Amino acid sequence: MYNFDVEQPTTLADAVQALSRDEAQPLSGGQTLIPTLKARLAAPSVLVSLSGIDEMKGVCSDDAGRVCIGAATTHATVAREVADLYPALAGLAARIGDPAVRNRGTIGGSVANNDPSACYPAAVLASGATVVTNKREIAADDYFQGMFETALKEGEIVTEVKFPVPEAAHYEKILQPASRFPLVAVFVAKFPDGVRVAVTGASNNGVFRWSDAEAALGGDFSAQAVADLKIDSADMISDLHGTAEYRAHLVGVMTKRAVAAIA
């Protein structure tokens, strides 16, 4: 490690002010950033911790019936407090990493980082959620823009994520045992006006919606409706854990399992 300053604001306004300093970087749960610093892949002069900002923590429902989760809320808290409001989302949070990760990592950190194999982006995209920052609200379909890329601009902090609650949903994943990230995972959410299917862990372009599956399930919500669907492997991740073709195959398998679990 190297020398850097740490700011610990207790309000969002103070955090925004602290982040205006040169080379300042926000620190949420630190589950990605701290290892990155140890590997010297990043070298900010100031870390601005968001963990002490109470207004960015907690779970509630708004007037539209959406589940609203503060960005500094840990995975463990989401798993516990969302269980009755949005069971599929709570189940996703309960299976992230291990207990140490779940008690330190936050939903805001995951959504802001947008790791191509992270769990939360699939839930955000499949739910048609809204990512709230200190400056604006961003629809999920506009927010995720590629591997580790989002619509966030300089000085923006994710403060909250608002999830519409579907009629039914399920998250299915194949766990990569070493990293505990999903090798491939699919979140299926069934709404009155259609079905949304989001895939994570598979593509070089990060989380994405599988439109062919959505169309098929919109007409017949059953595992059989997607049984014969294939997805192009051209943009799939290929590494020592699995080839692009294998991941493309798993997208179909995970989608069928998720639909079967709901149906």
Side-chain angles (χ1 to χ4, degrees):
M1 297 288 280
Y2 54 90
N3 292 329
F4 52 82
D5 294 329
V6 177
E7 298 279 352
Q8 295 181 298
T10 57
T11 69
L12 178 58
D14 288 344
V16 172
Q17 179 63 34
L19 285 168
S20 67
R21 295 174 58 181
D22 289 341
E23 297 185 12
Q25 187 164 344
L27 172 66
S28 192
Q31 300 308 293
T32 298
L33 181 56
I34 296 303
T36 300
L37 298 181
K38 288 181 176 179
R40 295 184 178 271
L41 297 175
S45 60
V46 181
L47 291 182
V48 180
S49 174
L50 307 178
S51 61
I53 304 175
D54 289 339
E55 62 190 288
M56 289 175 56
K57 297 179 181 179
V59 175
C60 67
S61 296
D62 67 7
D63 294 339
R66 295 178 297 184
V67 175
C68 304
I69 306 175
T73 306
T74 65
H75 311 320
T77 300
V78 173
R80 183 174 62 251
E81 297 188 8
V82 178
D84 293 333
L85 301 171
Y86 193 165
L89 180 60
L92 175 152
R95 296 177 63 200
I96 293 175
D98 54 29
V101 169
R102 291 192 290 273
N103 281 282
R104 289 294 304 172
T106 66
I107 184 172
S110 176
V111 171
N113 188 50
N114 191 24
D115 188 292
S117 294
C119 295
Y120 275 125
V124 172
L125 191 56
S127 302
T130 299
V131 179
V132 183
T133 77
N134 57 308
K135 296 183 177 181
R136 55 181 172 147
E137 296 191 355
I138 311 169
D141 287 326
D142 300 323
Y143 179 81
F144 300 105
Q145 299 187 349
M147 183 181 291
F148 294 108
E149 294 184 5
T150 71
L152 292 176
K153 299 184 183 301
E154 192 73 26
E156 275 192 292
I157 301 172
V158 176
T159 60
E160 186 180 36
V161 185
K162 298 179 179 180
F163 290 88
V165 180
E167 293 177 341
H170 187 77
Y171 181 61
E172 192 72 32
K173 72 176 179 179
I174 291 287
L175 190 69
Q176 203 291 315
S179 69
R180 303 194 67 81
F181 276 98
L183 184 64
V184 169
V186 175
F187 198 108
V188 176
K190 184 177 185 292
F191 290 91
D193 60 350
V195 180
R196 294 173 68 100
V197 178
V199 181
T200 188
S203 174
N204 286 308
N205 298 316
V207 66
F208 68 95
R209 288 174 62 184
W210 189 11
S211 57
D212 288 347
E214 292 177 347
L217 293 170
D220 174 17
F221 193 83
S222 70
Q224 186 59 37
V226 294
D228 296 326
L229 288 184
K230 306 293 182 184
I231 193 166
D232 190 354
S233 64
D235 291 325
M236 295 293 153
I237 297 170
S238 183
D239 57 22
L240 74 166
H241 303 300
T243 64
E245 293 75 17
Y246 179 57
R247 280 185 166 87
H249 171 71
L250 285 181
V251 170
V253 173
M254 294 299 99
T255 302
K256 285 183 285 187
R257 289 183 182 179
V259 174
I262 296 171

